[in-house]
Amino acid sequence: MPEQVTPAEEEYLQTLFWLQEARLPMTAANLARAMQLSAPTVHEMVGRLERDDYITRNADRAIAFTDSGLAQAGEIVSRHRLIERFLTDIVGVPWDDVHEEAEHLEHAMSPRFEAYVRASVGNATTCPHGHPIRVGQRVEGVPLADCAPGAAVRIVRLENEAEDLLHYLKQAGIEPGSDGTVIAVDGERVLVELSGRECEVTRSVAETITVLADPSPPPRTALPEHLVLARERYGR
């Protein structure tokens, strides 16, 4: 194993951790889809991660973390979410712009600066998009798309943090922590009232919005084609 994980390896480990956290199959195909990279590029890096003992692959080529790989992935994910919260709460970066900025900073943050950032955000438990800063403390919920009209909902988390999708959600009025009521659900659109505002999103985007609901639909495992969206599927 190398003495220090590289930034490129960190990006892959972070995405694999997200797939695992969302209970999506950890495969090279899903990794390529999530990172919007070609299959050959991903295949090469997956082989490198395996050689460096961060992951293993079984006979079906399904990916699993080694102990050291899981520790590295959890650390970079936690740091990323901590930076997002710092940039939003302390610096004032809008929450729909913060994901890409955190991507640039997370690889260069010294332990001293990380301690300062942690002290600055105080008791914050999630990133601005609702993901837990301390990994392993994920609040389970259900997709907004599954909720019936009339259900009371609280937005818990935005599962897909692609920046253009975050812009779309903010413009629609969808924000973690908001409470409201589902107004209508059909094959194409979901309409929900949040803080007195009617917010409409496409059905595919509603699949990526995790809520607590009353009454709540049954929980289900997410499908890759719902959470790992191609850009053209965000559209209005």
Side-chain angles (χ1 to χ4, degrees), residues 21-43:
E21 201 174 38
R23 297 194 175 91
L24 295 171
M26 291 169 63
T27 64
N30 278 345
L31 193 56
R33 190 180 292 116
M35 300 183 76
Q36 298 186 15
L37 295 172
S38 69
T41 297
V42 170
H43 178 77

Side-chain angles (χ1 to χ4, degrees), residues 82 86 90 109-122:
L82 177 69
F86 173 79
I90 307 302
M109 187 163 69
S110 68
R112 181 181 179 184
F113 183 60
E114 182 174 348
Y116 170 77
V117 169
R118 289 190 183 278
S120 298
V121 302

